[in-house]
């Protein structure tokens, strides 16, 4: 495809919102709280923040510059920038990773549709926290209901993808993301004023470093990549639609900041509420689906209309946040198939949607009907999550850091981050240092430590 034919995001705000739309999603509101809960709270959050700053931001800027300079899908990008080398595998593996994440992510995204449905039909009214737990378990182990929602969710993603980059992605992000943000702030207010919420706030703010082991580091690092959509060429693909004027560093900082804020605020909704109603913070993937309906019921117990309105609005926005993320993953694979194998865009999208539905069904069933079939002690859903988030994304991130820090001509790097010298980049040296040394060394150490090779 020639440069001129390639679509562009229409405005500056569109660029930020589309990237933030990719970054903000179930990773912040569903995955971040339960990983924090599993790994003991505040100490995990501190390590997570360090990962965002030292690994996430420089790697995000790298993905941006690789994408915008090459103006190609992520696999082609490496062939443009490093012709005849094996770097193309970074892009290709990224496409595969995105495909796997999309499959299991859509399962949870499908759950949000069920919760929209339950909220709209007023199914939450009058339930106790035990009943919320039971009804979630009944739903997630039902053989066909989650599968139907999974299919519905992937078809919605498909529909927006075939409408194209600017209309589909940009427009849906523009209205929904700010609304979600406002609602989150209101919910934090509700949650921290519940009776008994203080224990949850303490859990988030008082680090207990005695609980920190190698799995906490791996968990925090994986979560940082997952939440910022890094390590598989997602933002690299989006950046190929950026214009020449986009300020890459500033965009990365804005996206990183909004993404982190939303995750931390989600923590301030979930944990005070979980402690207030006596739900264990390490309840795992079900955590937000059993605590949140409680927040609505308890915080507005005197005014059922508000409880109703807030839960409907929240689950709709959560579904949309998930949608702007699934779109970004779908786009990576669709752009790859379309541009590399000469499928039409809509045929490419059909292949992606169809195969994700099939894999997604396996993931969905592994949480209920087929939960006894495991590999390495994990069902398909957990296995996909582990392999992608804890291995593929950090590995991809490390290779991207090495590619930009060591391989890529520094003239290109400098031109891209300063827009041909028109922007100032005071932290350029630090940026290169992080890419060259800190990111590869830190990621390697965490991997080695997790494998138990450090002997601790
Ligand atoms: N970041 C998104 C979230 O937090 C999920 C996501 C979108 C993603 N694109 C990605 C994760 C690419 C990893 C890689 O929900």
């Amino acid at each position: 495809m020639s440069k001129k034919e390639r679509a562009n995001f229409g405005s500056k705000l569109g660029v930020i919102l589309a990237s933030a739309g990719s970054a903000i999603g179930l990773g912040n509101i569903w995955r971040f709280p339960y990983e924090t809960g599993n790994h003991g709270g505040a100490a995990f959050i501190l390590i997570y923040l360090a990962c965002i700053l030292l690994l996430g931001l420089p790697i995000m800027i790298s993905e941006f510059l690789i994408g915008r300079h090459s103006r190609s899908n992520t696999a082609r990008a490496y062939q443009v920038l490093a012709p005849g080398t094996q770097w193309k595998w970074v892009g290709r593996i990224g496409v595969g990773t995105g495909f796997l994440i999309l499959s299991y992510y859509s399962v949870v995204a499908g759950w949000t549709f069920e919760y929209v449905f339950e909220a709209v039909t007023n199914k939450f009214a009058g339930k106790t926290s035990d009943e919320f737990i039971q009804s979630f378990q009944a739903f997630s182990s039902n053989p066909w209901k989650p599968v139907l929602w999974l299919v519905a969710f992937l078809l919605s993603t498909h529909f927006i993808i075939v409408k194209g980059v600017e209309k589909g992605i940009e427009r849906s992000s523009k209205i929904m993301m700010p609304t979600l943000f406002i609602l989150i702030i209101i919910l934090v207010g509700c949650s921290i004023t519940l009776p008994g919420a203080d224990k949850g706030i303490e859990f988030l703010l008082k680090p207990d470093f005695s609980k920190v082991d190698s799995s906490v580091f791996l968990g925090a690092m994986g979560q940082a990549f997952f939440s910022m959509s890094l390590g598989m060429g997602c933002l690299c693909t989006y950046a190929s639609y950026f214009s020449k004027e986009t300020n890459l560093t500033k965009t990365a900082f804005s996206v990183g900041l909004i993404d982190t804020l939303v995750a931390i605020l989600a923590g301030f909704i979930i944990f005070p509420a979980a402690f207030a109603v006596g739900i264990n913070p390490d309840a795992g993937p079900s955590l937000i689906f059993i605590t949140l309906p409680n927040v609505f019921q308890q915080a507005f117990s005197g005014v059922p209309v508000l409880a109703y309105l807030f839960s409907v609005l929240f689950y709709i926005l959560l579904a949309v946040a998930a949608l702007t993320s699934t779109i970004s993953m779908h786009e990576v694979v669709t752009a790859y198939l379309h541009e590399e194998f000469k499928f039409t865009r809509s045929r490419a999208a059909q292949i992606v949607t169809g195969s994700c539905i099939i894999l997604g069904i396996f993931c969905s069933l592994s949480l209920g009907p087929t939960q006894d079939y495991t590999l390495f002690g994990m069902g398909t859903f957990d296995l996909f999550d582990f392999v992608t988030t804890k291995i593929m994304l950090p590995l991809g991130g490390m290779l991207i850091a090495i590619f930009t820090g060591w391989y890529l001509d520094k003239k290109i790097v400098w031109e891209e981050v300063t827009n041909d010298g028109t922007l100032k980049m005071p932290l350029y040296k630090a940026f290169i240092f992080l890419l060259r040394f800190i990111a590869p060394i830190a990621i390697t150490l965490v991997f080695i430590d997790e494998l138990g090779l450090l002997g601790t």
Side-chain angles (χ1 to χ4, degrees):
M1 202 183 239
S2 80
K3 283 188 180 183
K4 277 213 185 102
E5 281 169 57
R6 237 183 131 75
N8 260 321
F9 285 123
S11 70
K12 230 189 204 169
L13 188 66
V15 164
I16 295 184
L17 285 178
S19 312
S22 164
I24 298 171
L26 297 170
N28 310 59
I29 296 167
W30 161 74
R31 202 175 187 286
F32 176 79
Y34 89 73
E35 281 285 285
T36 304
N38 282 346
H39 291 121
F44 173 87
I45 298 183
L46 285 179
I47 300 172
Y48 172 77
L49 292 177
C51 291
I52 295 281
L53 213 63
L54 301 178
L55 310 176
L57 286 176
I59 293 173
M60 189 184 286
I61 299 172
S62 302
E63 282 208 24
F64 279 166
L65 73 88
I66 293 169
R68 185 174 65 178
H69 194 80
S70 61
R71 301 204 119 246
S72 312
N73 68 74
T74 182
R76 164 83 34 191
Y78 294 90
Q79 272 158 301
V80 172
L81 296 175
T85 66
Q86 295 305 317
W87 283 107
K88 57 177 180 269
W89 287 100
V90 178
R92 289 183 182 166
I93 294 171
V95 174
T97 309
F99 177 66
L100 293 181
I101 299 180
L102 180 59
S103 304
Y104 81 87
Y105 192 95
S106 302
V107 173
V108 185
W111 298 351
T112 65
F113 273 6
E114 161 78 13
Y115 274 65
V116 170
F117 177 72
E118 291 192 15
V120 171
T121 50
N122 206 15
K123 291 252 174 57
F124 298 141
K127 274 193 184 159
T128 63
S129 39
D130 280 342
E131 284 168 333
F132 282 124
I133 297 179
Q134 278 158 14
S135 69
F136 177 79
Q137 276 163 355
F139 164 69
S140 63
S141 55
N142 184 305
W144 58 270
K145 251 192 184 175
V147 169
L148 283 186
W149 288 126
L150 155 81
V151 173
F153 202 93
L154 277 166
L155 290 180
S156 315
T157 308
H158 182 89
F159 179 71
I160 299 184
I161 284 287
V162 291
K163 275 181 73 182
V165 174
E166 189 176 343
K167 276 196 211 120
I169 303 178
E170 198 175 336
R171 267 195 215 153
S172 50
S173 307
K174 247 181 195 162
I175 321 160
M176 303 291 194
M177 300 316 292
T179 322
L180 178 69
F181 197 75
I182 296 168
L183 197 68
I184 285 178
I185 305 261
I186 298 176
L187 288 175
V188 171
C190 296
S191 186
I192 58 176
T193 48
L194 288 174
D198 40 334
K199 282 228 179 67
I201 300 176
E202 193 180 302
F203 183 77
L204 283 169
L205 295 179
K206 257 202 186 156
D208 176 1
F209 288 105
S210 67
K211 293 213 183 89
V212 173
D213 57 17
S214 65
S215 80
V216 176
F217 278 96
L218 185 64
M221 188 168 88
Q223 177 60 27
F225 283 105
F226 188 92
S227 188
M228 295 176 88
S229 304
L230 292 178
M232 45 79 54
C234 189
L235 295 181
C236 171
T237 303
Y238 268 21
S240 71
Y241 309 121
F242 286 3
S243 75
K244 262 178 33 205
E245 283 77 43
T246 306
N247 183 334
L248 300 184
T249 319
K250 231 179 165 178
T251 307
F253 272 90
S254 311
V255 173
L257 185 72
I258 308 173
D259 186 68
T260 309
L261 255 180
V262 172
I264 303 274
L265 289 174
F268 274 94
I269 302 176
I270 309 298
F271 290 109
F275 280 87
V277 294
I279 287 168
N280 254 341
D282 57 0
S286 64
L287 184 66
I288 68 157
F289 293 94
I290 54 185
T291 43
L292 269 176
N294 265 304
V295 180
F296 301 117
Q297 293 311 308
Q298 301 218 351
F300 306 106
S301 56
V303 242
V305 185
L306 280 186
Y308 178 81
L309 284 180
F310 269 99
S311 36
V312 171
L313 193 59
F314 181 82
Y315 285 110
I316 291 179
L317 292 173
L318 185 61
V320 173
L323 195 58
T324 50
S325 300
T326 51
I327 291 168
S328 71
M329 289 180 255
H330 201 299
E331 176 62 27
V332 173
V333 194
T334 302
Y336 172 70
L337 292 181
H338 169 51
E339 294 176 8
E340 299 305 305
F341 297 96
K342 307 292 165 240
F343 292 113
T344 60
R345 222 183 120 81
S346 73
R347 174 49 56 90
Q350 280 163 7
I351 297 172
V352 180
T353 307
S355 347
C356 278
I357 288 178
I358 295 170
L359 283 184
I361 291 176
F362 281 104
C363 294
S364 181
L365 294 178
S366 77
L367 293 171
T370 62
Q371 59 188 343
D372 296 332
Y373 296 92
T374 57
L375 193 66
F376 307 113
M378 289 179 267
T380 318
F381 182 97
D382 293 331
L383 193 67
F384 275 30
D385 181 71
F386 184 86
V387 171
T388 53
T389 307
K390 297 199 172 156
I391 301 175
M392 304 309 288
L393 294 181
L395 192 66
M398 176 162 92
L399 293 173
I400 291 167
I402 296 174
F403 181 75
T404 314
W406 292 99
Y407 180 85
L408 201 58
D409 186 350
K410 289 299 153 306
K411 207 169 141 258
I412 295 181
V413 177
W414 173 255
E415 276 171 13
E416 283 295 330
V417 293
T418 61
N419 288 357
D420 291 332
T422 56
L423 299 171
K424 286 210 178 83
M425 175 73 177
L427 292 174
Y428 183 73
K429 281 211 173 112
F431 165 65
I432 297 293
F433 182 78
L434 287 171
L435 289 179
R436 283 197 158 175
F437 300 103
I438 303 297
I441 294 173
I443 297 170
T444 309
L445 281 180
V446 174
F447 275 151
I448 294 177
D449 194 28
E450 181 62 14
L451 289 174
L453 299 183
L454 287 186
T456 43

